[in-house]
């Protein structure tokens, strides 16, 4: 029996563990993958207050070590269901745990483009993680899809390894930071392919290119690449909790800045909940808010 069970060990979940433990509560964090969440693949974080430069891995490791050092229990188990009541029952693939409060901090997962062959080509040229797979494309031509900070960072990272990087974005304005766009514009081996949407992945067993359509001219172009890095944002993965919390039409848990879900003792923290800004700072803030509220149950 725990006071608080946290589902997810990204920035929000680990911060919830730190705050819950410091509030004198017994805390268990359950994570189906590895701890750290999405930020673990970011080579350099430049916008966390007080840390001018830190790698995503270092940041995540620091959070994990801090939580474990404070006495938080951690288990690498995926949650399959949560049953509500004064005592909540959290069922994983391996066991059942009881607690007084649950903090859902499941973050979000990579959004697919939805193209034919996209999923079967993962590992054969299609990737959602430039820092994990970039080295396989040394001296090759690759495409990055997206216009947010992840796509910009991926393009910059890949330009250090690859012969050529095509940055394909559906508009002519970027969602990501202008500073990063300016840096990319100066790179000789980065070409911007703007106002363009991917239509299909070319190649039979391995990626040989990508077909894009210009949304202003309708012109269709085949670009020869060996790798396609998809960085078009994230989507939530909250279906396991739809019986205990309300989800919006995109699948995010409906909760405001209090992290309260409307179900007593169930909180949602970080990228998995409805919010307009999804940043490390806001994830950490949610973890603290949710844990301090859960500690009062
Ligand atoms: P994002 O900011 O949501 O950007 C997604 C991009 O993909 C947008 O440019 C979007 O185009 C495009 N897109 C979405 N669906 C598409 C589709 N079906 N086809 C083609 N393009 C599509 O996602 P993100 O870049 O992963 O960033 C997520 C959050 O993490 C952001 O808040 C970001 O600032 C943050 N982040 C921060 C850092 C850092 O601080 N170091 C690093 C990475 C990410 P439109 O612009 O036209 O909508």
């Amino acid at each position: 029996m725990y006071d608080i069970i946290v589902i997810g060990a990204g920035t929000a979940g680990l911060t919830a563990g730190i705050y819950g433990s410091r509030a004198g509560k017994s805390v268990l964090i359950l994570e189906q993958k590895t701890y750290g969440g999405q930020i673990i693949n970011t080579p350099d974080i430049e916008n966390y207050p007080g840390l001018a430069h830190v790698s995503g891995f270092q940041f995540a490791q620091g959070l994990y070590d801090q939580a474990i050092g404070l006495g938080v229990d951690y288990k690498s188990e995926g949650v399959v269901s949560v049953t509500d009541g004064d005592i909540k029952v959290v069922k994983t693939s391996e066991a059942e745990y009881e607690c007084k409060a649950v903090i859902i901090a499941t973050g979000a997962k990579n959004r697919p483009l939805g193209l034919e062959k996209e999923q079967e080509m993962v590992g054969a040229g299609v990737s959602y993680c430039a820092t994990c797979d970039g080295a396989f494309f040394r001296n090759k031509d690759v495409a990055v899809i997206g216009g947010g900070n992840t796509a910009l960072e991926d393009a910059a990272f890949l330009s250090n390894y690859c012969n050529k990087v095509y940055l394909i974005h559906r508009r002519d304005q970027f969602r990501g930071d202008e500073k990063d766009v300016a840096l990319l514009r100066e790179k000789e081996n980065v070409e911007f392919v703007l106002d363009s949407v991917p239509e299909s992945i070319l190649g039979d067993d391995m990626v040989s290119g990508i077909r894009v359509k210009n949304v202003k001219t309708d012109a269709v172009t085949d670009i020869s690449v060996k790798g396609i890095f998809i960085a078009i944002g994230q989507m939530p993965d909250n279906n396991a909790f739809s019986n205990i919390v309300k989800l919006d039409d995109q699948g995010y848990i409906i909760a405001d800045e209090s992290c309260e879900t409307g179900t007593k003792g169930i909180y949602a923290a970080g990228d998995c909940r409805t919010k307009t800004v999804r940043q490390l700072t806001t994830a950490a803030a949610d973890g603290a808010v949710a844990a301090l509220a859960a500690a009062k149950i």
Side-chain angles (χ1 to χ4, degrees):
M1 172 82 180
Y2 286 90
D3 291 320
I4 303 170
I5 290 183
V6 181
I7 305 172
T11 300
L14 289 168
T15 305
I18 291 167
Y19 272 78
S21 191
R22 282 175 56 83
K25 301 296 169 183
S26 59
V27 183
L28 168 65
I29 299 182
L30 296 165
E31 167 62 59
Q32 62 179 343
K33 295 185 189 143
T34 184
Y35 59 81
Q38 293 170 59
I39 200 63
I40 205 153
N41 294 317
T42 294
D44 188 20
I45 301 166
E46 291 183 352
N47 59 2
Y48 197 84
L51 296 172
H53 290 280
V54 62
S55 76
F57 179 81
Q58 260 182 309
F59 180 81
Q61 189 66 49
L63 277 180
Y64 175 81
D65 291 345
Q66 195 175 353
I68 299 302
L70 285 164
V72 170
D73 280 354
Y74 176 88
K75 288 184 196 289
S76 195
E77 294 173 26
V79 171
V80 290
S81 68
V82 178
T83 308
D84 189 28
D86 285 341
I87 300 297
K88 328 252 178 241
V89 180
V90 179
K91 193 173 172 198
T92 73
S93 39
E94 290 164 44
E96 279 188 6
Y97 304 95
E98 291 183 341
C99 63
K100 296 178 192 157
V102 171
I103 299 173
I104 304 171
T106 44
K109 62 182 182 182
N110 294 316
R111 176 181 289 130
L113 275 167
L115 295 179
E116 206 183 314
K117 293 201 281 194
E118 180 178 344
Q119 295 312 317
E120 67 190 64
M121 288 284 205
V122 171
V126 171
S127 171
Y128 297 87
C129 178
T131 45
C132 316
D133 300 329
F136 297 121
F137 298 88
R138 192 177 286 277
N139 300 326
K140 298 199 163 72
D141 292 353
V142 298
V144 174
I145 321 294
N149 278 326
T150 304
L152 298 176
E153 280 187 1
D154 286 359
F157 178 78
L158 291 164
S159 70
N160 298 325
Y161 289 97
C162 301
N163 180 55
K164 174 121 188 190
V165 179
Y166 295 93
L167 178 57
I168 300 168
H169 179 38
R170 64 184 177 183
R171 293 187 292 135
D172 61 0
Q173 299 292 314
F174 285 93
R175 186 176 291 273
D177 294 348
E178 188 48 46
K179 177 175 148 283
D180 292 339
V181 177
L183 283 174
L184 285 175
R185 285 193 199 283
E186 283 173 15
K187 296 210 169 215
E188 281 183 2
N189 65 340
V190 176
E191 182 175 329
F192 288 28
V193 182
L194 302 180
D195 296 317
S196 297
V197 289
E199 280 213 319
S200 55
I201 294 168
L202 308 176
D204 293 327
D205 300 328
M206 300 289 286
V207 166
S208 65
I210 184 158
R211 180 164 295 161
V212 297
K213 181 173 161 187
N214 186 300
V215 291
K216 288 187 175 158
T217 65
D218 281 344
V220 174
T221 312
D222 287 354
I223 303 173
S224 171
V225 289
K226 296 282 188 241
I228 299 171
F229 289 86
I230 298 165
I232 59 164
Q234 283 81 39
M235 55 186 209
D237 192 8
N238 293 321
N239 289 340
F241 315 115
S242 59
N243 61 323
I244 47 159
V245 291
K246 287 200 180 81
L247 306 183
D248 74 0
D249 55 5
Q250 290 183 290
Y252 290 99
I253 298 169
I254 296 175
D256 64 12
E257 296 306 309
S258 69
C259 297
E260 286 174 10
T261 61
T263 306
K264 191 169 174 256
I266 310 267
Y267 302 86
D271 286 5
C272 69
R273 78 165 174 90
T274 47
K275 52 165 61 194
T276 49
V277 179
R278 291 191 171 86
Q279 293 284 308
L280 275 187
T281 44
T282 56
D286 273 14
V289 169
L292 292 177
K296 291 192 185 130
I297 293 278

